[in-house]
Amino acid sequence: MCCNGFCSVANKMDNKGTDEVEKLKSKFISAWHNVKYSWALKSKTAFSRNSPVFLLGKCYHFKAVDDESPTESCTAEALGDVVTGNVDGFRRDFASRVWMTYREDFPALPGSTLTSDCGWGCTLRAGQMILAQALMLHILGRDWTWSEALTLEPLDTETWTSSAARRLVATLEASIQGERSQVTQPVCPAQVGAEEADSYLQEAYHRTIVSWFGDGPSAQLGIHRLVQLGMTSGKQAGDWYGPAVVAHILRKAVDDAADALLKGISVYVAQDCTVYSADVIDSHSGRTGSHCDPQGLNTGAAPDSRAVIILIPVRLGGEKINPEYLSFVKSILSLEYCIGIIGGKPKQAYYFVGFQDDSLIYMDPHYCQSFVDVSTSDFPLQSFHCPSPKKMPFSKMDPSCTIGFYSKNLEHYERIGNELSKILEPSSKEKYPAFTFMTGHGKDYELSIAGEKREWPFIRNTRIAGTTSGDFVLL
């Protein structure tokens, strides 16, 4: 009896010791990635004065009509001090997009002791950004900008590296996060004008959208939820995710979300680079997904009023990007209903939002920031917005990516289909379009996605030769 009791106590102590070792190991890994990715900051990005800049369907010109300066380029920050074209408009628009990055010291992820996604979660973060942009478009509209966008401090290398060193020590000494207070819903103050009330309401929606992506188990679109959904398909916290994988995870996350604001929108993921119009129309009318009744009627919105996020995993080349797709990518990012591209370069995921000349503009998730508790009503928003755009030559883009569009209703989708069909017409050089539109349902072409095996095409033996749109391995 005593022996059994002693053994039981000893086993508990061994298990506790193992848990502590795993936690300490996770902290060391997180700390190393924190320093590594905080030191990865580059110099300021150069933009040309003489070429237009496109950002998620909007065009900006940096050169004033009467500007005869011979200077060819300058940084986005420096341009703010020069009387040129609509520079502040671009900066305000870019900084208003929701920025998701690596985080540390959040509650442990499902099935692991990991308290940070540094080094492996960048594709999930890029997926969060494209989804956040769709929700901003859905709830606030494309013209909305954050009132504090131009007050953000530029990302300074010295500041970030010194804070990273401090966090290295703090991370190793940090204790496990305790209970967190519940979110307090914002209430519009009484006795204000209509304009002030509208501004306050927009800011409340802005804060609500960001809170959906919080780094905690209760966040409906947070990394904990995405990792949990990935586990149903064999993925684990710490694994690498490709853009096609993330597209399917985002669809499930939105389908399962309980917030009333999220019931009026769904996600459609194209299969084998093909968009089946009847399936998208069904999504608009609420006849698919988890928010419909047995009769197929949408319970969260009126018939045909449900918005749809269309995600299309594609591959724009073989081992490397096909340069013939440059004009296609630029045309896509010029469309007002485009919500960006989950992509990147080999082993690094980015969120592409625009372009200038032959360079892509992106938001980079590879910065390790501290956990922010979004359950409070006044949590700081600054770390969820990026003041500094980055550029990358199109030639460095990895061919595997996921393109996103936002379709408000059936009429909008018809216009999207018509415009995209023109862009997708193969040229004399491009024999094959990046993706296609087909009438009817996917099941009409014997491509039913009813089964889980068909729904997750990226699960396969990685030792078998060949590539698919899900093979994009990102760090």
Side-chain angles (χ1 to χ4, degrees):
M1 184 72 176
C2 292
C3 182
N4 289 338
F6 176 79
C7 289
S8 176
V9 172
N11 288 334
K12 289 181 179 179
M13 292 178 66
D14 288 341
N15 291 337
K16 183 177 180 181
T18 301
D19 290 342
E20 291 299 323
V21 170
E22 288 298 318
K23 290 178 180 178
L24 185 60
K25 179 180 177 181
S26 296
K27 287 183 180 295
F28 270 110
I29 293 175
S30 174
W32 162 244
H33 282 138
N34 178 31
V35 175
K36 177 181 178 181
Y37 291 109
S38 291
W39 279 350
L41 292 172
K42 301 177 182 179
S43 59
K44 294 180 179 180
T45 303
F47 285 85
S48 170
R49 277 198 179 96
N50 302 317
S51 301
V53 178
F54 285 84
L55 178 65
L56 295 171
K58 287 201 171 188
C59 180
Y60 294 92
H61 294 272
F62 291 168
K63 183 178 180 180
V65 177
D66 58 349
D67 184 7
E68 299 298 335
S69 172
T71 305
E72 290 296 325
S73 65
C74 52
T75 66
E77 290 80 7
L79 276 170
D81 300 326
V82 181
V83 180
T84 61
N86 195 9
V87 178
D88 280 349
F90 169 75
R91 293 177 58 207
R92 184 183 296 107
D93 192 356
F94 179 86
S96 296
R97 303 312 107 203
V98 176
W99 184 39
M100 297 295 171
T101 72
Y102 289 153
R103 297 278 176 172
E104 62 173 352
D105 292 334
F106 51 62
L109 291 164
S112 76
T113 59
L114 293 176
T115 59
S116 173
D117 63 314
C118 283
W120 58 270
C122 57
T123 319
L124 291 175
R125 297 299 187 180
Q128 286 182 318
M129 284 189 271
I130 200 172
L131 182 55
Q133 174 58 22
L135 294 174
M136 299 286 266
L137 202 59
H138 179 63
I139 296 173
L140 294 173
R142 183 62 185 89
D143 292 333
W144 177 87
T145 56
W146 187 32
S147 60
E148 300 180 32
L150 295 181
T151 66
L152 292 174
E153 292 292 330
L155 299 179
D156 178 75
T157 305
E158 183 178 354
T159 300
W160 277 69
T161 52
S162 60
S163 63
R166 290 194 300 270
R167 289 200 301 269
L168 171 60
V169 177
T171 300
L172 297 176
E173 298 176 348
S175 60
I176 299 174
Q177 294 286 342
E179 294 291 329
R180 294 178 176 83
S181 58
Q182 298 296 317
V183 174
T184 303
Q185 294 296 330
V187 179
C188 184
Q191 297 180 346
V192 296
E195 185 175 345
E196 291 82 357
D198 182 62
S199 177
Y200 187 90
L201 183 60
Q202 288 184 342
E203 187 54 36
Y205 280 134
H206 169 210
R207 189 173 291 275
T208 297
I209 292 172
V210 172
S211 71
W212 287 336
F213 296 92
D215 298 308
S218 62
Q220 299 175 72
L221 306 175
I223 194 168
H224 290 71
R225 181 60 179 154
L226 301 186
V227 167
Q228 184 180 36
L229 290 172
M231 291 173 66
T232 64
S233 62
K235 291 288 183 180
Q236 301 292 329
D239 288 348
W240 293 337
Y241 296 73
V245 181
V246 172
H248 286 275
I249 291 177
L250 294 178
R251 181 188 63 76
K252 287 197 166 193
V254 174
D255 277 350
D256 295 345
D259 195 289
L261 285 173
L262 292 171
K263 291 184 178 180
I265 193 168
S266 64
V267 176
Y268 169 83
V269 181
Q271 296 295 317
D272 296 326
C273 302
T274 304
V275 177
Y276 294 96
S277 292
D279 291 332
V280 178
I281 293 172
D282 284 350
S283 296
H284 270 301
S285 60
R287 289 194 290 268
T288 61
S290 60
H291 301 304
C292 51
D293 63 17
Q295 286 72 41
L297 298 177
N298 185 359
T299 59
D304 300 342
S305 67
R306 196 177 185 190
V308 178
I309 300 168
I310 303 172
L311 298 179
I312 310 173
V314 298
R315 189 170 185 88
L316 306 177
E319 291 299 317
K320 296 182 179 180
I321 192 76
N322 186 337
E324 300 301 333
Y325 283 111
L326 172 60
S327 59
F328 163 75
V329 172
K330 292 166 71 171
S331 297
I332 290 297
L333 292 171
S334 301
L335 301 174
E336 62 178 333
Y337 44 82
C338 176
I339 54 175
I341 300 174
I342 304 172
K345 59 184 180 181
K347 297 186 179 181
Q348 285 187 315
Y350 299 144
Y351 171 45
F352 294 119
V353 294
F355 68 92
Q356 184 181 48
D357 296 325
D358 293 344
S359 293
L360 298 174
I361 299 172
Y362 65 92
M363 299 178 72
D364 192 351
H366 297 89
Y367 298 141
C368 191
Q369 301 192 82
S370 299
F371 165 80
V372 173
D373 185 359
V374 300
S375 65
T376 60
S377 60
D378 58 347
F379 67 88
L381 288 163
Q382 285 74 15
S383 67
F384 295 99
H385 292 275
C386 180
S388 304
K390 298 294 182 182
K391 289 174 67 179
M392 183 191 83
F394 174 80
S395 59
K396 292 185 178 181
M397 180 181 179
D398 192 284
S400 288
C401 58
T402 290
I403 302 171
F405 302 101
Y406 168 80
S407 179
K408 185 177 180 179
N409 49 42
L410 291 178
E411 182 181 355
H412 194 197
Y413 174 67
E414 183 177 357
R415 183 162 64 90
I416 290 174
N418 291 334
E419 292 187 24
L420 285 179
S421 295
K422 297 176 182 178
I423 295 175
L424 292 167
E425 289 180 358
S427 65
S428 58
K429 294 182 179 180
E430 290 178 8
K431 295 183 179 180
Y432 302 102
F435 59 89
T436 59
F437 280 82
M438 299 287 287
T439 59
H441 298 85
K443 62 183 179 181
D444 298 337
Y445 299 85
E446 298 183 349
L447 293 175
S448 174
I449 59 173
E452 190 73 8
K453 185 176 181 180
R454 181 64 198 170
E455 183 179 0
W456 297 86
F458 47 81
I459 302 177
R460 67 186 194 93
N461 188 344
T462 56
R463 291 173 294 181
I464 299 176
T467 59
T468 69
S469 61
D471 289 337
F472 188 19
V473 178
L474 294 175
L475 179 61

